[in-house]
Amino acid sequence: MNIANKVTVSRIFLVFIFMGLLYVKGVYAKSAALLVFLVAALTDYFDGYLAKKYNCISDFGKIMDPIADKMLTLGAFIAFVEMKIVPAWMVALIILRELVITSIRIKALTKKEVLPAGKGGKHKTVFQMFSILIILIFIVYKESKWTGGTWTADFEYWYKQMIFGVMIITTTLTVATGLSYILGNKAYLFNDGDK
């Protein structure tokens, strides 16, 4: 296993640590979850950078990199639904998109072809991680004792409105890039991969 793939696999382990910390009460656990998420998000950049620098792009990396991304982002979004921060319908659309894209990739694998993530999908992942970061900052700040009285009902309302707006953009981008990917690879859905 090359160094880029090791970084990708490490992101999967970080997902479990992140999720565990996210469900622990208290500002310290939530702050640690934020830190672990940042590290995991950075590995998404570094595995691609290392793969290109050392010319070790592999089929394993093409498959596992988007899977690791999905585990990180979907895990966070599902947790946010349980915390009543993000509407369930948005996350349902995001999950549906990822299931369809993953099914296309699996179908391609049965034809001994590996479909990497497209540029649109990579941009979508970056924006999803940005959205998650904003929400995690909200969670940490809300649970913090260092708000100095700035946390009010009005402040929480407007912060949640900002999160809703960001999530609308995130969901729209996720669905749009998904439709683009489906159209670009529709042969795998409708013609058993015959081109």
Side-chain angles (χ1 to χ4, degrees):
M1 184 179 292
N2 63 51
I3 187 170
N5 291 340
K6 288 178 180 177
V7 173
T8 299
V9 171
S10 73
R11 183 155 72 257
I12 295 174
F13 285 106
L14 287 172
V15 170
F16 292 102
I17 297 171
F18 164 68
M19 293 301 295
L21 289 168
L22 196 56
Y23 282 104
V24 176
K25 293 182 180 179
V27 66
Y28 294 110
K30 296 298 192 294
S31 298
L34 171 58
L35 180 61
V36 171
F37 176 80
L38 286 172
V39 173
L42 285 174
T43 66
D44 185 37
Y45 165 77
F46 280 113
D47 59 7
Y49 169 79
L50 292 169
K52 291 175 183 176
K53 181 178 180 179
Y54 295 106
N55 193 27
C56 56
I57 297 172
S58 65
D59 287 346
F60 177 88
K62 289 177 183 178
I63 295 169
M64 291 307 299
D65 181 61
I67 288 176
D69 291 341
K70 287 174 177 55
M71 288 177 67
L72 179 62
T73 56
L74 293 182
F77 285 136
I78 290 169
F80 297 154
V81 169
E82 290 185 25
M83 295 176 181
K84 303 188 184 307
I85 299 173
V86 173
W89 67 266
M90 290 183 178
V91 177
L93 283 175
I94 293 171
I95 292 173
L96 178 61
R97 185 262 194 204
E98 302 303 352
L99 287 174
V100 173
I101 299 305
T102 299
S103 69
I104 290 174
R105 290 198 176 115
I106 291 171
K107 193 70 171 288
L109 284 174
T110 65
K111 303 295 180 181
K112 299 187 179 349
E113 295 184 44
V114 176
L115 299 179
K119 287 186 178 179
K122 291 177 181 178
H123 293 155
K124 172 268 304 180
T125 298
V126 170
F127 205 87
Q128 284 182 349
M129 289 186 177
F130 172 73
S131 303
I132 292 167
L133 181 61
I134 289 176
I135 296 170
L136 288 172
I137 291 171
F138 166 83
I139 292 170
V140 170
Y141 190 62
K142 184 177 181 180
E143 294 209 10
S144 170
K145 296 178 181 179
W146 312 303
T147 56
T150 58
W151 192 272
T152 63
D154 285 342
F155 181 86
E156 180 170 348
Y157 171 80
W158 288 111
Y159 205 117
K160 284 187 174 181
Q161 291 304 305
M162 181 184 71
I163 289 173
F164 184 81
V166 169
M167 283 303 301
I168 284 287
I169 297 170
T170 299
T171 305
T172 302
L173 183 61
T174 300
V175 172
T177 57
L179 290 173
S180 176
Y181 194 90
I182 291 167
L183 290 174
N185 297 282
K186 59 186 177 181
Y188 293 101
L189 282 179
F190 305 114
N191 297 313
D192 293 327
D194 299 326
K195 294 182 179 181

